[in-house]
Amino acid sequence: MAYRGSVIVCTSTDLWDSIPRLLQGRSRDEIFELPYLYGQTIHYVPDNLPEMIAPPQYDCQLLFGDEIEALNGLKNFDNSLAFDALGHTPTIAVYIARFYGKIVGVAGASTAENDGMLEVGVDVLPEHRNARLGTYLVSTLTKALLNRDILPFYSASVTNLGSQMVASRCGYVPAWVDTFGNTLDGSSVYHDIVQAMPLPRKEF
């Protein structure tokens, strides 16, 4: 269970010696994505988008296509914008917010497996959260995509109530849910954890 800044994990007694070391120093979302846990992701599509007023203290800008290359090297916005070692990114549209010239919030739309759809993600630096900046960025980017006949969708972990609230405030509605379970066949992005910290061999 995740509640505010805490994560509560229930485990059997034979796993207790290993589980605390496995979870130490990990964020809420990392814990819920570990191979030994089970969780869900909610996916939303836009429905009735409300009108949003731009926060006056921020300078906001929409970038498309090649314009995004100027942001290569930007850190701390992995949910909305990421570049590989060669400087490539699957993100094709971003809406950014600057505070006295510094980028403090990014909503980005990237290509996904769903043909013709883009997945929207958002990041706001901690000191600028709770001012509905993320809501404004997602809403404005969504409208820009729809105006270009691009259908976006938004994803949120079941543990991330803040992200779910952003979706709701932006006029997104739940459309489908992904369920994932224990991934012990080597395909998990966290397989190194499985190898480095084997737990008792049993059914989970």
Side-chain angles (χ1 to χ4, degrees):
M1 180 179 73
Y3 180 71
R4 294 188 176 179
S6 301
V7 176
I8 300 173
V9 176
C10 178
T11 177
S12 57
T13 54
D14 59 335
L15 298 180
W16 175 245
D17 289 339
S18 299
I19 291 296
R21 289 180 287 130
L22 180 67
L23 305 182
Q24 187 68 35
R26 300 192 184 280
S27 70
R28 174 198 60 208
D29 291 331
E30 287 175 329
I31 289 173
F32 274 80
E33 292 174 358
L34 289 172
Y36 298 108
L37 300 182
Y38 167 92
Q40 293 178 323
T41 300
I42 308 170
H43 302 282
Y44 301 78
V45 294
D47 181 31
N48 185 19
L49 303 183
E51 292 297 323
M52 294 282 179
I53 299 176
Q57 65 269 42
Y58 299 103
D59 177 28
C60 298
Q61 181 183 13
L62 180 67
L63 301 176
F64 262 90
D66 293 342
E67 296 175 327
I68 299 174
E69 293 179 5
L71 301 179
N72 190 6
L74 187 65
K75 305 296 184 183
N76 302 317
F77 298 94
D78 293 339
N79 291 319
S80 54
L81 179 63
F83 292 87
D84 63 20
L86 298 178
H88 302 141
T89 177
T91 303
I92 68 167
V94 296
Y95 200 67
I96 61 176
R98 290 186 174 91
F99 186 74
Y100 289 98
K102 177 184 177 181
I103 295 178
V104 298
V106 178
S110 63
T111 55
E113 295 180 1
N114 304 71
D115 187 28
M117 298 178 68
L118 295 181
E119 183 170 13
V120 173
V122 62
D123 294 287
V124 175
L125 296 184
E127 59 269 29
H128 293 273
R129 293 173 187 168
N130 301 316
R132 298 204 173 184
L133 177 59
T135 299
Y136 173 74
L137 294 175
V138 170
S139 178
T140 305
L141 178 61
T142 298
K143 290 180 180 179
L145 295 172
L146 292 174
N147 288 338
R148 290 166 171 78
D149 295 323
I150 300 172
L151 179 61
F153 70 97
Y154 182 95
S155 302
S157 166
V158 294
T159 66
N160 195 337
L161 299 182
S163 184
Q164 294 172 43
M165 291 173 65
V166 168
S168 178
R169 289 170 181 156
C170 290
Y172 276 80
V173 294
W176 74 95
V177 175
D178 283 341
T179 299
F180 55 92
N182 303 319
T183 310
L184 306 176
D185 62 359
S187 62
S188 168
V189 295
Y190 295 105
H191 185 61
D192 59 322
I193 296 173
V194 179
Q195 291 179 313
M197 190 175 236
L199 297 180
R201 304 296 298 179
K202 61 179 293 183
E203 293 297 325
F204 289 87

